[in-house]
Amino acid sequence: NIIIIVIKRFAVIAKSQSITPESCEVRVYNEEVELEDRDPQQDYMLYKDTCADLAKLMAEIQELKSSGAKSVEIEERHRQCSVHFITLKKLNRLAHMRLKKGRDQTHEAKQRVDVLHLQLQNLLYEVMHLQKEISKCLEFKSQHEEIELVSEEEFFQEAPAEISRPHVTRDDNHQLTLARLDWELEQRKRLAEQYKMSLARKEKIQKAIEQKREYLSSLQPGLQNIMQASLPVQEYLSMPFEQMQKQAEVARHLPPPLYVLLVQAAAYGQACDKTLSVNISGDVDEAKALSRRPEDSQEDESDSDAEEEQQNTKRRRATVGVQLEDKRKAMLRRHPLSLCVDLKCKDGSVLHLFFYYLMNLNILTVKTKVSTATDLSGAVSAGELLNSESLLNCLYASDHGKETPNPANRYQFDKVGITTFADYVSDLGHPYVWVQKLGGLQFSSDGAQNVIFALSASHMEKTMKLLRGRLQARLALHKQFSSLEHSIIPVSSECQHLFPAKVVSGLTRWTMMSYQEFTHVLKAGLVCETDLFFMAVVERGTARLLAAVVLNPRYPEVMPLFSLSLHWKGERSGRTEDNLRAMESEVNVFRAELQGPRPGLQLLTNQIQRLCVCLDVYLETESQVCDGSEGPREFPREKMCLRTARGPSRLKPFKYNHPQGFFSHR
């Protein structure tokens, strides 16, 4: 910038003084030329010295201003600072010029490297092209190489001399190959003649077969008429041969677990339970197509290489486009055939069991349906008793049927994003462990599965008895709940001797409750979500007894659990009062006294009746006044007790003694 200003000033002076270029000597200053002669290290030292001098001058100016010195001295130092600034600007310009020059040199070197790299790439491409051509030449195969020729030893032994020419072919491989090909051609011509003769014989045999087939087909109408005429005889003798034949044909397409279940259930029904029936349902054509898929895959493998590549490409495109939900549906796909097992009871009710096989998960699932001879829609609290989702819960202990018993399924679920199998139980059915055993499925710790006939046979009889017992127990509970909702406690004649003739306390309400309402029982860890929960209210006068009832799915094998709370002169519970705890023991502990005749289907109603009796004893023996009178005025003494209280806890006599008719302590 300073050079430009100097040049402009020189031009103005020359113009004002009429100085021509010819009259003066022109001198040009070029910093780029000077840059080549200067040392960058010396410029750096000059920069440091200039900065130090400039800092020193600034400090002196500051001291002069603070001491009030003359302006002449300050102006002098200002001029020196200006000179130093000019030097710094020049050094700055030289540094920028060096930087630009270095960048230009770097760019030129980079261009040279790019040119060399491009030449290298061209050479490498040419080398690769030549290598491919060489490989093609080396890998070239003639069509005769695909022909399986006889060995050389066999060729010289069997081929005639005019074809083998041993004196020529033994020393020349090319002539040997030509001779072997000629011998192969002669052999194939001979085999072609034999093939034509064989085809002629085959046609004759086929004609004979067609004639015999026409003869057999002419017998078909007559045989069908005979079968139709024999149907009444088959029904009368309980020997449905035709139905069994059709079912046997369909059973060939069942998967192994369902086939094992079919065979074992049919064998059990024939030997032990004539009322049990097993039927196959589903799409037979789809099952046949499913069983033919392995053969189709083998035929596909025998196609040409070009067709295989096209098929693989199509498969890849289809796989990329499939959504996660489609993968889940494919993972949870059922076999098109299923089994229906019907268990009939004496009262006419039927338990329908529908068994399904999940092909990719290798497990069996079951769904249920109950058919009854009478209408069972009266009891509101019995809605969950015959619910298909919970009817078979805990048929065996701790078998809830929510998760798959196959350990390999956990890794399959992770691939398609399934967190738990319980979300799909309502659609697919419950994979109970006993269902797997009925199908002969046994899963080891490493995820391997085996189909074992003996495993199914060993569990069939016990499981069928448990299923029939579960249905009978639920139907009995359904009838009892209908009476309990109308405040009637049904006590059978076989159990009348367990209670006194007169029971004043009565049931006023029986309702169903939810799992979350049983907070105090939940904390004790005595129940689980598969249990059924009810509330019974027993009243006498102003006393109101609340009984929280927990009904285990395995009732009557597992005794119902009662938790009591009494509202009379305040609120009391079994956790705070010994007598209420004793009442809980009377209904929860002494199963042998309350079970009644086997299989113990009256257990729940007997417990509620025992609870009413215990409430009568509690109220009649509880003192309302402190004047020494024998009993309360509101509840007159009607039960005969040997002692009204015993021990420090003042326990009351809740045990009823039959036939004496009095109450005593245990």
Side-chain angles (χ1 to χ4, degrees):
N1 294 333
I2 295 174
I3 296 173
I4 295 172
I5 294 171
V6 171
I7 293 173
K8 288 182 179 181
R9 287 183 179 178
F10 178 76
V12 172
I13 294 171
K15 186 176 181 182
S16 62
Q17 296 181 2
S18 301
I19 300 175
T20 61
E22 292 81 3
S23 63
C24 63
E25 182 181 358
V26 179
R27 295 182 180 181
V28 179
Y29 172 68
N30 191 349
E31 284 188 345
E32 293 181 357
V33 177
E34 182 184 358
L35 182 65
E36 295 178 357
D37 299 333
R38 295 178 68 95
D39 184 13
Q41 189 65 27
Q42 293 180 358
D43 288 347
Y44 175 68
M45 298 304 297
L46 178 60
Y47 167 75
K48 291 181 65 177
D49 296 340
T50 303
C51 290
D53 294 340
L54 189 61
K56 183 178 179 182
L57 289 173
M58 291 294 180
E60 291 178 358
I61 291 172
Q62 180 66 25
E63 291 178 359
L64 291 174
K65 285 185 177 183
S66 61
S67 62
K70 297 179 179 181
S71 59
V72 178
E73 296 178 356
I74 296 174
E75 288 295 331
E76 178 64 24
R77 285 170 174 76
H78 281 171
R79 284 193 294 273
Q80 294 176 4
C81 289
S82 299
V83 172
H84 287 309
F85 277 120
I86 292 172
T87 303
L88 290 176
K89 287 183 178 181
K90 180 178 180 180
L91 293 174
N92 185 37
R93 288 195 305 276
L94 293 176
H96 282 287
M97 292 172 66
R98 285 194 185 94
L99 178 61
K100 183 177 180 301
K101 185 178 179 181
R103 287 178 177 173
D104 293 341
Q105 292 175 354
T106 303
H107 183 66
E108 292 175 359
K110 185 178 179 182
Q111 285 183 338
R112 290 195 298 272
V113 171
D114 291 342
V115 171
L116 294 174
H117 182 70
L118 182 59
Q119 294 176 356
L120 176 62
Q121 292 295 327
N122 292 334
L123 292 174
L124 290 176
Y125 179 76
E126 291 180 4
V127 170
M128 183 177 64
H129 178 70
L130 293 175
Q131 288 177 348
K132 287 184 178 179
E133 293 297 328
I134 293 171
S135 299
K136 287 182 180 179
C137 294
L138 293 176
E139 294 175 358
F140 175 77
K141 291 184 178 180
S142 177
Q143 291 184 355
H144 80 277
E145 295 181 1
E146 299 177 359
I147 301 175
E148 295 183 3
L149 301 176
V150 297
S151 62
E152 295 182 8
E153 296 178 357
E154 188 177 351
F155 167 70
F156 285 114
Q157 289 177 1
E158 297 180 357
E162 59 270 12
I163 295 179
S164 62
R165 295 177 296 165
H167 60 283
V168 178
T169 56
R170 289 188 183 276
D171 300 329
D172 191 347
N173 290 332
H174 178 63
Q175 293 297 329
L176 176 61
T177 303
L178 293 177
R180 293 173 68 187
L181 289 173
D182 291 338
W183 176 239
E184 183 70 21
L185 179 60
E186 291 293 332
Q187 285 184 320
R188 293 198 176 193
K189 287 181 179 179
R190 186 173 66 254
L191 292 175
E193 293 295 331
Q194 294 178 3
Y195 175 69
K196 290 180 181 179
M197 296 173 62
S198 299
L199 283 179
R201 283 200 308 272
K202 179 182 175 182
E203 291 178 359
K204 292 181 181 179
I205 296 173
Q206 283 182 343
K207 289 181 180 179
I209 292 174
E210 288 296 332
Q211 293 176 358
K212 293 180 180 180
R213 187 173 293 170
E214 291 177 0
Y215 173 73
L216 293 175
S217 61
S218 64
L219 296 177
Q220 185 69 20
L223 293 175
Q224 289 181 352
N225 295 332
I226 294 173
M227 291 295 295
Q228 290 294 331
S230 65
L231 287 179
V233 180
Q234 294 180 24
E235 294 178 359
Y236 179 76
L237 298 177
S238 299
M239 301 173 67
F241 295 112
E242 187 175 3
Q243 182 180 358
M244 292 172 59
Q245 183 180 3
K246 292 181 180 179
Q247 183 164 303
E249 292 178 358
V250 178
R252 293 186 302 169
H253 306 288
L254 285 173
L258 287 180
Y259 182 78
V260 171
L261 179 57
L262 171 68
V263 173
Q264 295 297 332
Y268 173 76
Q270 185 177 1
C272 304
D273 189 355
K274 300 296 183 182
T275 61
L276 185 141
S277 62
V278 186
N279 297 310
I280 303 175
S281 59
D283 192 344
V284 181
D285 294 334
E286 186 179 353
K288 291 180 180 179
L290 194 65
S291 61
R292 285 198 299 266
R293 283 182 182 177
E295 299 176 0
D296 297 340
S297 62
Q298 292 177 0
E299 294 176 0
D300 294 340
E301 291 177 0
S302 63
D303 293 337
S304 62
D305 295 338
E307 293 178 352
E308 287 182 357
E309 291 179 0
Q310 292 178 359
Q311 291 175 358
N312 292 334
T313 304
K314 292 180 181 178
R315 290 194 192 101
R316 290 192 206 102
R317 291 175 183 171
T319 304
V320 173
V322 169
Q323 298 295 330
L324 188 60
E325 188 64 27
D326 295 335
K327 293 182 180 179
R328 292 174 182 170
K329 290 180 181 179
M331 178 71 68
L332 302 174
R333 184 184 176 190
R334 290 174 177 169
H335 192 275
L337 296 180
S338 61
L339 287 184
C340 177
V341 179
D342 295 338
L343 278 174
K344 299 179 182 178
C345 297
K346 295 180 180 179
D347 59 355
S349 58
V350 183
L351 175 62
H352 306 279
L353 300 172
F354 303 95
F355 295 92
Y356 304 96
Y357 178 66
L358 305 185
M359 297 181 292
N360 293 322
L361 301 182
N362 294 324
I363 59 174
L364 288 174
T365 60
V366 64
K367 282 188 171 185
T368 59
K369 181 182 176 182
V370 178
S371 300
T372 56
T374 59
D375 186 18
L376 298 179
S377 59
V380 178
S381 61
E384 290 296 323
L385 290 179
L386 299 178
N387 187 1
S388 60
E389 295 295 326
S390 60
L391 178 60
L392 301 183
N393 281 347
C394 299
L395 189 67
Y396 289 88
S398 303
D399 191 2
H400 303 289
K402 296 295 184 182
E403 294 296 336
T404 169
N406 188 353
N409 296 155
R410 180 68 270 158
Y411 303 99
Q412 293 175 293
F413 291 163
D414 293 340
K415 292 181 180 180
V416 295
I418 297 177
T419 56
T420 175
F421 188 75
D423 299 336
Y424 304 91
V425 163
S426 58
D427 297 329
L428 301 176
H430 294 265
Y432 295 109
V433 177
W434 58 267
V435 177
Q436 318 307 317
K437 292 181 179 179
L438 290 185
L441 291 176
Q442 185 175 18
F443 301 101
S444 58
S445 58
D446 57 357
Q449 75 161 30
N450 300 310
V451 180
I452 306 173
F453 273 83
L455 179 66
S456 175
S458 62
H459 288 79
M460 181 63 67
E461 183 175 2
K462 181 179 179 182
T463 302
M464 291 301 169
K465 290 181 179 179
L466 288 176
L467 289 171
R468 183 174 277 105
R470 174 64 60 87
L471 179 60
Q472 293 174 350
R474 292 300 174 90
L475 292 175
L477 284 174
H478 202 287
K479 295 178 181 178
Q480 294 170 11
F481 284 5
S482 181
S483 300
L484 294 177
E485 288 182 359
H486 292 84
S487 302
I488 300 173
I489 304 176
V491 180
S492 62
S493 58
E494 295 88 351
C495 301
Q496 290 289 348
H497 66 280
L498 300 176
F499 314 103
K502 183 178 181 181
V503 180
V504 182
S505 299
L507 180 70
T508 59
R509 186 160 61 93
W510 174 265
T511 57
M512 189 173 184
M513 298 183 68
S514 63
Y515 175 73
Q516 289 75 15
E517 294 181 78
F518 280 67
T519 55
H520 59 286
V521 184
L522 293 177
K523 293 178 181 178
L526 300 176
V527 299
C528 59
E529 293 185 4
T530 56
D531 295 337
L532 301 176
F533 306 94
F534 303 91
M535 177 63 70
V537 180
V538 180
E539 294 183 358
R540 179 180 178 182
T542 59
R544 190 163 180 259
L545 181 66
L546 303 180
V549 185
V550 180
L551 190 66
N552 192 280
R554 300 172 64 195
Y555 172 87
E557 181 181 352
V558 178
M559 196 172 185
L561 180 65
F562 283 69
S563 177
L564 305 181
S565 175
L566 179 63
H567 294 267
W568 182 57
K569 297 181 180 181
E571 183 177 355
R572 316 172 192 181
S573 66
R575 293 172 291 173
T576 58
E577 185 171 346
D578 294 332
N579 281 302
L580 284 179
R581 193 179 301 115
M583 292 171 63
E584 290 178 350
S585 300
E586 287 293 327
V587 294
N588 291 334
V589 176
F590 303 102
R591 174 190 177 94
E593 298 179 6
L594 299 173
Q595 183 174 2
R598 289 186 178 276
L601 300 180
Q602 298 290 329
L603 178 59
L604 177 63
T605 54
N606 290 345
Q607 286 179 295
I608 298 175
Q609 186 72 358
R610 170 69 65 85
L611 192 62
C612 295
V613 173
C614 291
L615 181 61
D616 285 345
V617 174
Y618 180 89
L619 296 175
E620 292 176 10
T621 57
E622 183 72 11
S623 176
Q624 291 185 347
V625 294
C626 300
D627 55 358
S629 60
E630 287 190 15
R633 296 176 182 176
E634 182 182 1
F635 306 110
R637 178 77 61 81
E638 295 181 358
K639 305 293 186 296
M640 183 172 59
C641 303
L642 297 181
R643 295 176 61 184
T644 58
R646 187 182 69 178
S649 57
R650 310 304 295 164
L651 292 179
K652 302 181 182 304
F654 293 116
K655 181 182 178 181
Y656 177 68
N657 295 272
H658 176 80
Q660 293 82 3
F662 63 87
F663 289 84
S664 63
H665 293 85
R666 290 192 180 272

